[in-house]
Amino acid sequence: MKIAIPTNDKKQLFKRSGRAEGFLVIDVSGSEYVIKDYRFNTHSHHHHHHGHDEESEHGHSHKEIVDALSDCSYLVVNVIGKHFLHDLQNAGIKVFQTDETTITGAVDNFRKNVLNKA
């Protein structure tokens, strides 16, 4: 199964998932996992130009990200905005939250099934 993790450096989770530069896509199978891909987040550039914050009501969706992650079953995050969470859930992508800051720690906790559903 494929999981996606927001990151800017491919080592640490980026705290604000929708604003990450990209998403590391990892294929998890039993005790093994393989990094499959790094997908740039074209949506994150909207935040830099429009100047709105996550809590404000906005008319755009996170379609670009959801489409880019459509082959993933799960997204593992530190923090996620309510609009992004809603768009992912509508697309059938399950979101889990972790306090882990490293990719390896987040993947290990995902495999151990100890993460909380967002």
Side-chain angles (χ1 to χ4, degrees):
M1 78 190 89
K2 287 185 189 172
I3 65 171
I5 299 177
T7 182
N8 286 0
D9 63 5
K10 302 179 187 173
K11 294 179 181 133
Q12 303 283 324
L13 272 78
F14 188 74
K15 190 164 182 104
R16 295 301 303 263
S17 51
R19 297 182 186 186
E21 289 180 11
F23 295 86
L24 203 57
V25 176
I26 301 167
D27 194 7
V28 178
S29 175
S31 62
E32 305 279 318
Y33 67 91
V34 178
I35 295 171
K36 289 292 193 184
D37 198 6
Y38 183 76
R39 300 180 187 166
F40 287 98
N41 178 7
T42 58
H43 181 80
S44 68
H45 300 292
H46 295 302
H47 289 288
H48 299 298
H49 298 302
H50 293 317
H52 66 265
D53 63 74
E54 192 65 31
E55 295 304 315
S56 67
E57 290 299 319
H58 48 82
H60 71 273
S61 71
H62 297 88
K63 183 174 178 3
E64 302 100 335
I65 304 172
V66 173
D67 288 349
L69 301 179
S70 63
D71 62 328
C72 298
S73 300
Y74 304 95
L75 179 68
V76 177
V77 301
N78 288 140
V79 176
I80 189 164
K82 63 183 178 182
H83 299 289
F84 188 22
L85 176 62
H86 178 76
D87 291 346
L88 288 163
Q89 289 172 332
N90 282 345
I93 298 172
K94 294 179 179 78
V95 180
F96 288 93
Q97 289 184 288
T98 182
D99 291 332
E100 285 291 331
T101 57
T102 66
I103 301 290
T104 55
V107 172
D108 288 343
N109 282 344
F110 178 83
R111 287 186 10 239
K112 293 175 190 171
N113 200 26
V114 296
L115 299 180
N116 294 317
K117 197 167 185 182

